[in-house]
Amino acid sequence: MEIIDVYCQHVGFGDGPQLSSTAETAVVCYPMECEPPEIVEYLAAAGHDRTVVRIFAGWTAWLPECTQLYRVGSVPALRRIEELCTRVLGEPGRPGSLWQAFHDLPGENVLPAGTEADVQGEAWPIALDIPRAIALTFVGQLVIALVALVEATGAEADVVRLREVTEAWEAVGEFAKESDTAILAQAWLSLDDPGRALPYVRHSYAVDPDNPSARAAMRMFYVISGDDELAAQVALQTDTEDVGMSLRWLVLAAVDLVEADDSDLLDQILDLLSQAGMDMGDLLRCVVEGRRGPVRPDAAWARLREHLATVDSTTTVRKLRYLIEAAYQRGETDYAMRRAHVIRAKQVIRRPVHHRDRAAVEAVTLGRDPAERGLTARLNNRAQLWSADGRPDDPLLGLCLVAAERWAGSAPAGISAEALELIECSRALAGRAAAVLLRGTRHCAVCRDSFMVERLSVCGACHRLFCEDCARHPTFRLRCRCGGDLAHPSLRKREWTQVLTSSPDRPGIAAAFSGGAARLRNDF
């Protein structure tokens, strides 16, 4: 009987229209007339009908299908993963779903799917068993697919869906394997909540520091925190024999070093990428040359521009931003502005993780320098386009709003009335989220101690955060190392000027400005 049971889990029968979905999802499917009589007798004795066998066979096939679809990585493939996982798990919070079974049966290794098992688009009142570990694997597949969807589309519906599923998984508090905590970390980072992500980032890295997902989560944590130097260190620590994977990590490291304005190792990495035929290496070299001094169009740029003349939907926002920056540097302003308008139409650029790319794109859209780091200029650019677009529901979010409010409160010269209106509208739309962010805790970028966000100064360009003691250091004065303006907590501008011009009274602060590797060890 055990052999027959395993057979029923992997083989389906039927070729009629009513069985078409079964034929697509079973590991293997044969015409109904091929069904052995022993299977019919077994099902009758067990009190099941044929549909039960086909559903279970479908679940068995769906996990490898999800894996293959994720490798494809297209939006339709990711949507299919979401569909399959939802058909297995049901909806969070609904009675009869596997989500509910996780809570109701905490010690059970096998869970009944209850009434949420979905066949041909209908919920059937049947009870099927699924191993708990497999159910948790479907949870991980669903979350990582939604993370990729948010990164690809930026659609608000996908963001809401990701938040709903991420909160449900965190409430369950279980993982198919410990390294899956990296997936939950990436989900919170995609939702611009590094505070909630940090425990999972730490745990996944401690469990398996060589796991690609754990490294990706740790790097993204540093990128969102504005610590590009440490993000590059994480990317460069990867040790794999997969050449393709090594090149992808090298590209990420090069991007981080470009943002960190660190040229010591960057030129060597760009040489390696160029030798490997990676167009991103050539593009980054063009951008770096333009940032180091005046440049003019040359044959290398002409070839690269021709190569990148056509971009598809999978081209990242960061790559498009570098393309228009390189064009602007070489005096091709009209070309850069046309491309900038196209990039602004992409919904994904509104995600908080892309705030630096968005600022550069908005500057080029208006024919202005994308390298400008000043907060007044950035706010004025954003507000001018917001007003020109008819003042859509596109507010400043997260630390962008925190920095803007503080900066406007210090009454800087040159800030426009439109910028002040944008800040006011954003504050009204933020509601409780702004208060939650300010009461949360984040790390100081220098000493690495944790403080409430409301006590930390924030860089308007890279979003590094600084405690009061570290902000006193002469290295910063009124600006971050990246060149961005520091927006301080609610102190009068004159009081902060006095703080910043005074000598640091905390021992050891200067030492924290070096030794990035030591800081990396302290964090993780």
Side-chain angles (χ1 to χ4, degrees):
M1 297 303 290
E2 183 179 353
I3 294 175
I4 295 177
D5 184 57
V6 172
Y7 181 88
C8 291
Q9 294 174 17
H10 293 80
V11 180
F13 296 91
D15 53 1
Q18 73 275 17
L19 301 173
S20 59
S21 64
T22 301
E24 291 175 0
T25 56
V27 175
V28 62
C29 193
Y30 299 101
M32 184 65 74
E33 56 267 23
C34 297
E35 186 173 34
E38 292 83 2
I39 301 298
V40 178
E41 295 172 4
Y42 168 74
L43 292 174
H48 296 307
D49 59 20
R50 294 180 177 87
T51 304
V52 174
V53 177
R54 292 190 177 90
I55 295 171
F56 203 78
W59 288 356
T60 306
W62 288 350
L63 273 179
E65 182 179 351
C66 288
T67 301
Q68 292 296 329
L69 288 169
Y70 187 74
R71 290 173 181 168
V72 173
S74 65
V75 170
L78 297 171
R79 296 281 185 211
R80 174 65 173 166
I81 295 174
E82 180 187 7
E83 174 198 347
L84 294 177
C85 292
T86 302
R87 289 173 66 179
V88 173
L89 299 168
E91 295 293 338
R94 286 182 60 176
S97 68
L98 277 176
W99 292 104
Q100 189 62 41
F102 285 129
H103 296 284
D104 295 343
L105 302 169
E108 297 294 329
N109 292 326
V110 179
L111 301 175
T115 60
E116 283 290 295
D118 189 12
V119 182
Q120 298 178 0
E122 298 180 3
W124 283 45
I126 52 180
L128 301 176
D129 292 339
I130 182 170
R132 193 182 198 93
I134 292 180
L136 289 168
T137 302
F138 274 110
V139 173
Q141 292 276 8
L142 174 59
V143 173
I144 198 64
L146 289 172
V147 168
L149 273 174
V150 168
E151 293 174 352
T153 69
E156 187 60 28
D158 291 330
V159 175
V160 171
R161 176 69 168 161
L162 175 59
R163 182 175 294 278
E164 176 188 36
V165 172
T166 301
E167 290 177 343
W169 193 10
E170 189 174 65
V172 170
E174 297 179 50
F175 305 89
K177 51 185 183 295
E178 282 193 283
S179 59
D180 283 354
T181 52
I183 299 175
L184 191 54
Q186 290 182 56
W188 283 123
L189 291 170
S190 295
L191 294 167
D192 194 38
D193 199 338
R196 293 181 76 167
L198 184 56
Y200 303 108
V201 174
R202 285 173 166 164
H203 184 81
S204 62
Y205 184 72
V207 169
D208 185 2
D210 295 324
N211 183 281
S213 294
R215 289 194 179 278
M218 185 166 66
R219 174 189 170 270
M220 182 54 64
F221 173 81
Y222 281 128
V223 168
I224 290 177
S225 302
D227 287 327
D228 298 299
E229 301 94 333
L230 297 185
Q233 287 186 34
V234 173
L236 291 171
Q237 285 179 3
T238 302
D239 183 15
T240 175
E241 295 181 357
D242 186 333
V243 176
M245 181 65 71
S246 296
L247 287 174
R248 285 192 287 273
W249 281 109
L250 275 180
V251 168
L252 294 174
V255 168
D256 296 333
L257 291 173
V258 167
E259 293 301 310
D261 195 22
D262 186 344
S263 59
D264 292 342
L265 187 59
L266 178 58
D267 289 336
Q268 299 177 41
I269 295 177
L270 294 181
D271 288 339
L272 289 173
L273 294 176
S274 296
Q275 293 169 13
M278 302 287 288
D279 58 10
M280 191 64 171
D282 296 329
L283 180 57
L284 288 172
R285 190 181 298 281
C286 287
V287 171
V288 170
E289 290 173 350
R291 291 184 181 181
R292 290 174 179 172
V295 289
R296 300 179 63 182
D298 55 16
W301 164 247
R303 288 193 299 270
L304 182 60
R305 178 178 154 170
E306 179 67 23
H307 172 69
L308 298 174
T310 303
V311 295
D312 57 30
S313 59
T314 63
T315 306
T316 64
V317 168
R318 180 61 56 87
K319 188 172 185 178
L320 294 172
R321 169 247 177 128
Y322 285 143
L323 176 62
I324 64 171
E325 182 174 354
Y328 182 90
Q329 292 168 341
R330 285 154 180 79
E332 298 181 357
T333 308
D334 291 341
Y335 170 83
M337 291 175 66
R338 289 196 304 271
R339 283 301 180 95
H341 280 289
V342 173
I343 302 171
R344 285 191 66 239
K346 291 178 173 288
Q347 205 167 5
V348 68
I349 202 170
R350 296 185 178 188
R351 300 300 305 146
V353 69
H354 293 302
H355 70 95
R356 285 187 276 189
D357 301 316
R358 180 172 185 172
V361 169
E362 287 172 340
V364 173
T365 302
L366 297 169
R368 296 167 185 164
D369 186 0
E372 173 58 55
R373 302 293 180 94
L375 189 49
T376 297
R378 290 188 169 205
L379 287 173
N380 287 346
N381 291 343
R382 174 77 174 270
Q384 183 177 340
L385 292 170
W386 173 69
S387 182
D389 292 339
R391 304 193 172 194
D393 184 6
D394 181 22
L396 298 164
L397 299 172
L399 290 177
C400 288
L401 177 57
V402 171
E405 282 192 291
R406 292 175 177 178
W407 189 249
S410 67
I415 193 166
S416 68
E418 289 174 331
L420 296 177
E421 291 178 27
L422 173 60
I423 294 170
E424 186 64 31
C425 290
S426 300
R427 183 189 298 116
L429 290 171
R432 181 174 175 271
V436 171
L437 172 61
L438 290 172
R439 288 197 296 268
T441 57
R442 300 278 183 95
H443 283 103
C444 169
V446 180
C447 67
R448 313 307 295 176
D449 289 341
S450 295
F451 301 87
M452 293 182 68
V453 175
E454 65 183 4
R455 295 178 53 196
L456 294 166
S457 299
V458 55
C459 171
C462 71
H463 285 184
R464 278 192 184 97
L465 296 167
F466 303 91
C467 69
E468 180 179 344
D469 287 336
C470 293
R472 294 178 180 180
H473 195 276
T475 300
F476 295 106
R477 297 297 178 186
L478 297 175
R479 286 183 177 270
C480 174
R481 282 180 294 171
C482 75
D485 293 310
L486 291 184
H488 303 294
S490 54
L491 292 174
R492 294 186 182 89
K493 189 174 182 180
R494 185 180 63 181
E495 292 175 340
W496 261 109
T497 301
Q498 293 172 350
V499 168
L500 293 169
T501 54
S502 63
S503 60
D505 56 5
R506 181 174 174 181
I509 291 180
F513 288 87
S514 60
R519 290 163 56 196
L520 188 62
R521 289 193 296 271
N522 290 338
D523 283 347
F524 298 94

